[in-house]
Amino acid sequence: MAYAALSSLMQTLQHLLQANSPLNSCASCIQQQHVESSYQSLCDLQVFLEDTTNEANDIENLNVLEKKIRDVVYKAEDRVDSSLRSIILADIEDDREKACKFFNEELQQVEIEFASLRKEVMVIELNKRGSKSTELAKTSSSISTEETTFVGMKDDYEAILNCLNAQTKELIVISLVGMGGIGKTTLARKVFDNSIIRDRYDKHAWVTISEQYNKRQMLLEVASSITGINNQEMSNDELMVIVYRGLKGRRFLIVIDDLWNTEAWDQMRRIFQNDNNKSRIILTTRLKDVADYASCRDFPPRDVSFLSLDDSWKLFTERLLIKDPCPPQLEEIGKHIVRKCQGLPLSIVVVAGILGKMDPTHDNWKKVEGNLNSFFGTVSEQCQVILSLSYSYLPHYLKSCFLYVGGFPEDMEIVISKLIRLWIAEQFVNSRSDKSLEVVAKEYLQDLIDRSLILVGTRKANGSMKTCKIHDLLRHLCIREAQIENCLQVINYNVHNSKEDINYQRRVMLLLNIDMRHVYLPEHGSGITNTTRSFVVMRNPNEVRVMCPITSCFKLLKVLDVYSIDYDFSRVIPQLVHLIYVAANIKEAPSVARLWNLQTIILDTLAGWIYLPLEIWTMSNVRHLEIGRAIVMANPVEAESHNSIGEQPESLYLNNLQTLSLDSSSFLAEILKRTPNVDKLKIRAVNLHNEWSSLLDCLILLQRLEKLSIRAIAENGPLILPSAFCAPNLKKLRLDWTNLAWEDMVVLANLPNLEVLKTEGAFNGTKWILNEHVVFQKLKYLRFELEDLESWEASSDNFLVLEQLILIDINELDEIPESIGEIATLKLIQIENCSSTTITSATKIQEEQESLGNYELQIRIIDLAFTGTDWDLNEDVVFQKLKYLRIKRADDLEMWEAASDSFPMLEQLVLQHLEELEDI
């Protein structure tokens, strides 16, 4: 990982060379000429790596040279960071002078080593060297791997449908078996997402098991999918009862993805009862014995087949060329390449990802073919070669980013915002004058997606990517390569770890589904003290939290993510002077005066109120600041006064701050005035100090603000949103308990870029009337929760591009405006715990749209919460497709009148807790 090592040390030396660096106090005693010389040597080495390409006959020599560069730079960084830490922590002048002298001696030695290394690099003659500038500038459209890999699976797909449609009423288990990457999950997903198939079942759930089976996680996933309950406090037995009751008597379709052993199946099988109602389970596994064990006698496992050469070629060209035909001069060599993939879809899309980043020339394709021709073996071995090749062909700046993703737990949906922050903190992302680091990191991620190395996960309400994930074969590749490169050590749960697993590792990721007794905790003074730069804990959210004393051994950490551990890190943090990223729990405010490089701060309190120190306002590098409840941000006015020299106090601004999450305070306005470039803002306990008006005045100043969340105190009187309020770049807005008038919606409609609006108890009043002049130009997602709305008048012209309407706990609403259904872009109306009239109106909207040929609009009803004593369904109210109806918590329902014509397809009726109902 030579390139990443160079980038990390270069950024440290850059800070020493900057005139306005936070390290100015250190720079005064440092011999700048040695810093400049070392920095220039690193620049030359970086350019060398950028200009080299992995030609077939150069790979071995180049790898040896890269390893040497990496090792030399790692040792140099250890010496520089360690001696720099001594200078920063020195409190006595004599100690400081000694530390400076030692630092300069170390720097001179580093300079000599770099000069020697640079000479060695310059005299090496590779057989071929080429620039990747053309390749890096080339872009390709991102196509969903799940969509493209469905090529050639028609027979398998129809076979599954035949099993689903079988006349037998018994519960059937349909097993799909095949090697990783062959398309089992894609095939199951295609069936599971088919709306016609889903309509036949009352309950649906998708559960991913993976190699490390976790019974509790499985129970939580099933309970959440089946009942909507995701209660972390419930025991396993309680969850099993919930799931059992949720499925009892219902026809269900369950997908169990990636099952690895029969023991896991035995534990799961008990909760899926056979009620002889044509319920079905689709199971995917790589192991034939597991598939045989789980399958029903009359429905043997389905071996998912490899693609034919024709289908392989079709998949390859669709992935690589989209709709364009393959150039004639490349077709022959292209088919040779595809043949080497041996019909494995994952290999095909990965190879297409490699070629998609190259100029489509015969020489480039011939180079890839040559690397493939150098190996012959089984399909599994060949797949590993292809995947390794995809890593080899990555640009240097992407390799470390890709390997880092492998450190996240298997099958985890990785939150993109967190991944990007970590990449930046790990110093994998190169700065560009015209783009922020976050934008560059997103481009890196998109590049990996385009190469089919990273998959898109879930999306946000506005359609942008929220999470990503990685295929487990690629994850195994990452872990293997990361260990070889000394880039990352993943310490897994249920694995005993030796000293060698942690000592001298650059980055450590601890996957906490774990007994900490199985993890080696190094003693003070061990090698880990001077080598480890990152310690990240990924805890299974269902496991008991543990303390982690291991961090006291890390002296040169740049990344510390221990947010999932209930342990007080307030005394550890101040000693880690090189920290860039910290996420932790604290019991008292840590001193941050010496943490010159902090960019991301995520803190929560374990006990009582905590006031952040005033020096937080001198930390000019901070980009993301998220502090939990009961942690109070420091007053900038006090900080200015405390920091002043002479009569005129120095103005303090956090101009680099992009993300801010905090509790409100009496000086909130001052905080916002001094964070002018925030684009994501979350404020809790608003108006506790009567600061509503000053807050709105300051929001107008935040010209880059794109995402805003305001949670007011519940005791608010009516608040006012002035017509002058303006946030020109605001895209996502959440309002909780603001007690606004519905008429203030006019102000929100005037926000020119608003795409997402979520509210919870935010509006006061029972009637919302939108006239023709109120138009939400870009609103795609609208969610109301716990509003007192009774009457809503609106037309399709008020919402030009609305795609999703979500109503939760709106118990008094008469009906959804009928013309809402006429919005051409509307895809979903979801109703949860709302009045019966709301549900009826939604059903009418769907029926009206279907009569006009619009079958795209989905109505999703989650639970029914009726209000009032009478429910009278006249002959015009018909639930056309309703098969399952459950009414609960309607304590005051006394009379229910309905005819069989109201529910023509109803199969099951469940009534719970209806104490006053006289009869059905």
Side-chain angles (χ1 to χ4, degrees):
M1 214 33 54
Y3 193 88
L6 288 167
S7 297
S8 179
L9 183 52
M10 285 173 67
Q11 290 188 41
T12 300
L13 297 182
Q14 254 182 330
H15 281 294
L16 291 174
L17 293 172
Q18 291 173 356
N20 59 345
S21 169
L23 290 177
N24 274 341
S25 57
C26 300
S28 61
C29 66
I30 293 173
Q31 297 175 6
Q32 293 290 301
Q33 70 271 23
H34 299 306
V35 179
E36 292 173 359
S37 176
S38 298
Y39 181 77
Q40 187 57 53
S41 295
L42 293 174
C43 288
D44 292 342
L45 291 170
Q46 192 176 63
V47 170
F48 168 79
L49 290 177
E50 289 172 346
D51 286 346
T52 57
T53 55
N54 294 351
E55 301 294 340
N57 54 350
D58 289 332
I59 289 178
E60 185 175 350
N61 289 333
L62 184 60
N63 285 343
V64 171
L65 182 58
E66 283 192 33
K67 184 178 184 300
K68 184 171 184 178
I69 294 174
R70 180 200 70 199
D71 292 344
V72 170
V73 174
Y74 273 167
K75 289 179 181 178
E77 185 180 39
D78 292 342
R79 295 161 75 170
V80 169
D81 285 352
S82 182
S83 52
L84 191 59
R85 179 177 185 269
S86 297
I87 297 175
I88 296 172
L89 293 179
D91 292 324
I92 303 173
E93 187 62 30
D94 286 347
D95 291 343
R96 185 181 181 80
E97 289 181 3
K98 291 178 182 178
C100 283
K101 182 180 179 181
F102 180 72
F103 179 83
N104 288 319
E105 291 172 353
E106 291 283 77
L107 199 56
Q108 289 181 47
Q109 186 60 39
V110 165
E111 181 187 10
I112 294 171
E113 291 174 358
F114 283 170
S116 175
L117 184 60
R118 184 168 61 169
K119 289 179 181 179
E120 184 178 345
V121 165
M122 292 304 125
V123 298
I124 291 177
E125 293 183 359
L126 297 174
N127 291 335
K128 290 183 181 179
R129 296 174 60 178
S131 172
K132 288 196 172 185
S133 57
T134 304
E135 177 183 330
L136 299 184
K138 180 177 175 63
T139 59
S140 65
S141 299
S142 177
I143 304 173
S144 168
T145 303
E146 292 190 357
E147 292 178 6
T148 57
T149 53
F150 194 69
V151 172
M153 294 184 176
K154 183 178 180 181
D155 291 344
D156 294 320
Y157 182 70
E158 291 180 350
I160 298 175
L161 293 185
N162 289 336
C163 294
L164 293 176
N165 295 329
Q167 291 303 307
T168 177
K169 292 185 177 181
E170 291 186 356
L171 173 65
I172 295 175
V173 178
I174 306 163
S175 295
L176 306 178
V177 63
M179 71 171 293
I182 203 167
K184 304 181 299 296
T185 300
T186 299
L187 188 58
R189 176 63 68 182
K190 190 75 172 180
V191 174
F192 187 75
D193 289 343
N194 187 308
S195 59
I196 296 176
I197 294 173
R198 288 176 68 90
D199 284 345
R200 300 174 188 165
Y201 299 91
D202 307 312
K203 296 291 182 179
H204 318 84
W206 182 290
V207 185
T208 301
I209 301 300
S210 301
E211 192 168 2
Q212 299 293 340
Y213 171 66
N214 185 309
K215 177 181 178 181
R216 179 167 179 79
Q217 185 63 32
M218 180 275 297
L219 286 171
L220 281 165
E221 285 190 37
V222 177
S224 177
S225 299
I226 297 300
T227 67
I229 295 174
N230 188 14
N231 190 338
Q232 305 282 346
E233 304 301 324
M234 286 186 173
S235 67
N236 285 1
D237 289 340
E238 289 173 326
L239 286 170
M240 287 191 69
V241 171
I242 291 267
V243 172
Y244 178 85
R245 290 177 178 174
L247 294 177
K248 185 63 178 174
R250 281 82 161 177
R251 182 185 297 175
F252 57 79
L253 175 63
I254 309 291
V255 175
I256 301 172
D257 189 32
D258 206 14
L259 188 67
W260 280 80
N261 58 68
T262 56
E263 292 78 10
W265 171 247
D266 286 337
Q267 292 187 43
M268 297 182 65
R269 182 64 180 83
R270 289 185 299 156
I271 66 174
F272 302 124
Q273 299 301 307
N274 181 13
D275 289 327
N276 293 313
N277 60 359
K278 295 188 176 182
S279 291
R280 303 290 186 254
I281 294 175
I282 300 175
L283 180 152
T284 76
T285 180
R286 302 182 192 185
L287 306 175
K288 187 69 164 62
D289 62 325
V290 173
D292 289 336
Y293 183 82
S295 295
C296 304
R297 180 182 304 173
D298 296 332
F299 298 89
R302 178 76 183 181
D303 289 307
V304 179
S305 54
F306 294 100
L307 299 181
S308 66
L309 182 58
D310 287 342
D311 285 332
S312 297
W313 178 249
K314 182 180 179 182
L315 173 59
F316 174 77
T317 53
E318 284 186 3
R319 176 65 193 175
L320 177 61
L321 303 167
I322 310 178
K323 296 180 180 179
D324 296 329
C326 180
Q329 69 273 20
L330 295 178
E331 185 168 339
E332 182 179 354
I333 190 173
K335 288 185 176 179
H336 287 169
I337 292 172
V338 168
R339 189 176 288 111
K340 293 296 179 183
C341 297
Q342 301 187 41
L344 189 69
L346 179 62
S347 294
I348 294 168
V349 297
V350 168
V351 168
I354 295 173
L355 296 175
K357 289 296 176 178
M358 294 180 172
D359 283 336
T361 65
H362 189 275
D363 287 346
N364 280 337
W365 286 30
K366 191 69 177 177
K367 181 173 64 175
V368 173
E369 183 193 28
N371 285 327
L372 290 176
N373 284 338
S374 65
F375 186 90
F376 297 93
T378 65
V379 175
S380 178
E381 292 169 333
Q382 184 69 19
C383 180
Q384 287 301 319
V385 170
I386 291 170
L387 299 184
S388 296
L389 187 63
S390 69
Y391 169 71
S392 298
Y393 272 89
L394 281 175
H396 285 284
Y397 66 90
L398 282 183
K399 285 184 176 181
S400 51
C401 294
F402 174 58
L403 296 187
Y404 199 79
V405 176
F408 288 81
E410 188 176 9
D411 294 314
M412 180 179 184
E413 295 275 348
I414 305 167
V415 178
I416 288 175
S417 59
K418 177 174 182 176
L419 176 63
I420 284 176
R421 290 184 191 180
L422 285 170
W423 276 355
I424 292 172
E426 298 287 1
Q427 298 174 310
F428 295 157
V429 182
N430 295 325
S431 60
R432 298 179 191 168
S433 58
D434 60 333
K435 295 179 179 179
S436 69
L437 289 172
E438 286 75 14
V439 170
V440 175
K442 288 178 182 177
E443 291 177 355
Y444 285 9
L445 178 61
Q446 187 60 56
D447 200 344
L448 291 171
I449 290 171
D450 290 344
R451 295 168 187 267
S452 299
L453 297 178
I454 302 295
L455 303 174
V456 176
T458 57
R459 293 188 177 272
K460 298 179 182 178
N462 61 359
S464 61
M465 288 188 294
K466 181 178 182 180
T467 65
C468 64
K469 52 189 175 181
I470 185 171
H471 192 283
D472 51 1
L473 284 182
L474 288 165
R475 179 175 179 268
H476 293 156
L477 167 70
C478 288
I479 292 173
R480 185 184 72 238
E481 292 292 337
Q483 194 164 6
I484 293 172
E485 296 280 0
N486 192 15
C487 172
L488 175 71
Q489 176 68 32
V490 179
I491 301 178
N492 216 328
Y493 46 78
N494 301 329
V495 176
H496 292 259
N497 298 280
S498 65
K499 294 183 180 182
E500 288 71 25
D501 287 336
I502 301 181
N503 261 353
Y504 303 103
Q505 295 298 328
R506 217 67 190 171
R507 299 173 184 86
V508 176
M509 276 195 178
L510 185 62
L511 308 188
L512 263 191
N513 191 9
I514 202 164
D515 182 347
M516 285 298 294
R517 291 172 299 177
H518 292 173
V519 178
Y520 162 66
L521 302 180
E523 298 177 359
H524 289 277
S526 69
I528 195 170
T529 305
N530 293 321
T531 60
T532 304
R533 293 305 193 277
S534 303
F535 185 65
V536 179
V537 177
M538 299 284 180
R539 184 186 58 86
N540 186 314
N542 311 308
E543 298 297 321
V544 178
R545 293 184 174 187
V546 295
M547 64 175 287
C548 193
I550 188 173
T551 52
S552 61
C553 301
F554 300 114
K555 304 301 182 185
L556 304 179
L557 279 181
K558 294 185 177 181
V559 174
L560 175 65
D561 187 346
V562 286
Y563 192 77
S564 57
I565 300 176
D566 277 344
Y567 180 73
D568 178 19
F569 289 91
S570 53
R571 297 189 180 183
V572 174
I573 293 172
Q575 300 301 310
L576 304 176
V577 298
H578 294 295
L579 273 182
I580 299 175
Y581 180 112
V582 61
N585 289 284
I586 55 176
K587 287 185 177 180
E588 58 186 61
S591 172
V592 294
R594 290 166 168 162
L595 307 186
W596 61 277
N597 205 20
L598 261 181
Q599 295 180 13
T600 297
I601 304 174
I602 303 172
L603 297 175
D604 212 341
T605 177
L606 294 173
W609 287 89
I610 294 176
Y611 294 82
L612 290 186
L614 296 176
E615 61 256 28
I616 192 85
W617 283 99
T618 65
M619 303 179 67
S620 58
N621 287 323
V622 175
R623 307 170 73 85
H624 309 283
L625 176 60
E626 299 180 13
I627 52 178
R629 289 180 175 84
I631 298 181
V632 180
M633 180 62 173
N635 187 338
V637 177
E638 280 187 48
E640 281 184 351
S641 176
H642 184 267
N643 197 55
S644 64
I645 300 175
E647 297 182 0
Q648 186 64 35
E650 179 186 358
S651 297
L652 297 176
Y653 287 81
L654 296 179
N655 288 321
N656 287 316
L657 194 65
Q658 300 174 18
T659 305
L660 178 59
S661 177
L662 75 171
D663 282 349
S664 187
S665 63
S666 58
F667 46 87
L668 176 63
E670 287 294 334
I671 293 174
L672 298 182
K673 288 176 184 178
R674 297 162 194 271
T675 56
N677 295 314
V678 164
D679 55 30
K680 296 179 182 177
L681 177 61
K682 181 176 182 180
I683 312 174
R684 302 176 298 268
V686 168
N687 216 39
L688 183 62
H689 307 278
N690 296 316
E691 73 282 6
W692 174 257
S693 296
S694 61
L695 164 62
L696 296 182
D697 291 340
C698 291
L699 289 178
I700 298 174
L701 303 175
L702 303 180
Q703 293 297 301
R704 297 187 180 183
L705 188 63
E706 293 188 357
K707 183 177 179 181
L708 173 63
S709 176
I710 295 177
R711 187 174 187 89
I713 57 173
E715 298 79 12
N716 265 319
L719 299 178
I720 298 174
L721 196 61
S723 59
F725 174 72
C726 179
N729 289 308
L730 192 64
K731 295 180 179 179
K732 185 173 181 180
L733 175 62
R734 175 168 186 138
L735 298 173
D736 295 345
W737 312 112
T738 49
N739 209 9
L740 298 169
W742 285 105
E743 289 76 13
D744 288 339
M745 273 289 190
V746 177
V747 180
L748 301 183
N750 290 331
L751 297 175
N753 289 298
L754 188 64
E755 297 178 355
V756 176
L757 176 59
K758 300 178 181 180
T759 78
E760 181 178 352
F763 288 90
N764 178 35
T766 60
K767 182 178 292 187
W768 182 26
I769 301 176
L770 289 171
N771 62 45
E772 58 185 7
H773 301 298
V774 180
V775 181
F776 289 86
Q777 298 284 348
K778 295 186 178 181
L779 193 68
K780 298 179 181 179
Y781 181 97
L782 177 61
R783 186 178 84 178
F784 293 134
E785 183 174 357
L786 285 171
E787 305 291 357
D788 296 328
L789 193 61
E790 297 178 5
S791 176
W792 178 15
E793 297 179 17
S795 74
S796 58
D797 293 335
N798 298 125
F799 305 96
L800 298 184
V801 294
L802 189 66
E803 296 177 0
Q804 298 183 54
L805 172 63
I806 315 295
L807 303 177
I808 303 174
D809 291 318
I810 312 296
N811 296 319
E812 304 296 332
L813 183 62
D814 291 337
E815 63 179 1
I816 301 171
E818 187 175 344
S819 58
I820 291 292
E822 299 171 6
I823 302 173
T825 54
L826 191 63
K827 299 175 182 178
L828 172 68
I829 299 177
Q830 179 171 308
I831 300 171
E832 183 173 349
N833 296 340
C834 293
S835 64
S836 59
T837 54
T838 303
I839 296 170
T840 301
S841 66
T843 304
K844 283 185 176 181
I845 288 173
Q846 185 181 41
E847 292 170 359
E848 175 66 22
Q849 289 303 303
E850 289 183 352
S851 70
L852 297 174
N854 176 16
Y855 294 93
E856 299 298 320
L857 177 60
Q858 297 183 34
I859 304 296
R860 186 183 299 160
I861 300 174
I862 303 175
D863 209 353
L864 304 179
F866 288 87
T867 59
T869 58
D870 299 340
W871 184 22
D872 187 359
L873 290 174
N874 60 45
E875 58 185 10
D876 296 325
V877 180
V878 181
F879 293 85
Q880 296 285 358
K881 297 183 180 181
L882 193 67
K883 298 179 181 179
Y884 173 81
L885 173 61
R886 179 180 68 178
I887 307 173
K888 71 174 184 178
R889 298 201 306 269
D891 297 328
D892 52 353
L893 184 62
E894 299 175 0
M895 185 177 67
W896 178 20
E897 295 184 8
S900 59
D901 294 339
S902 300
F903 307 96
M905 298 183 66
L906 189 67
E907 296 178 359
Q908 299 178 55
L909 172 65
V910 179
L911 305 178
Q912 297 177 321
H913 307 298
L914 307 183
E915 307 297 338
E916 303 298 325
L917 183 62
E918 296 177 359
D919 54 37
I920 302 174

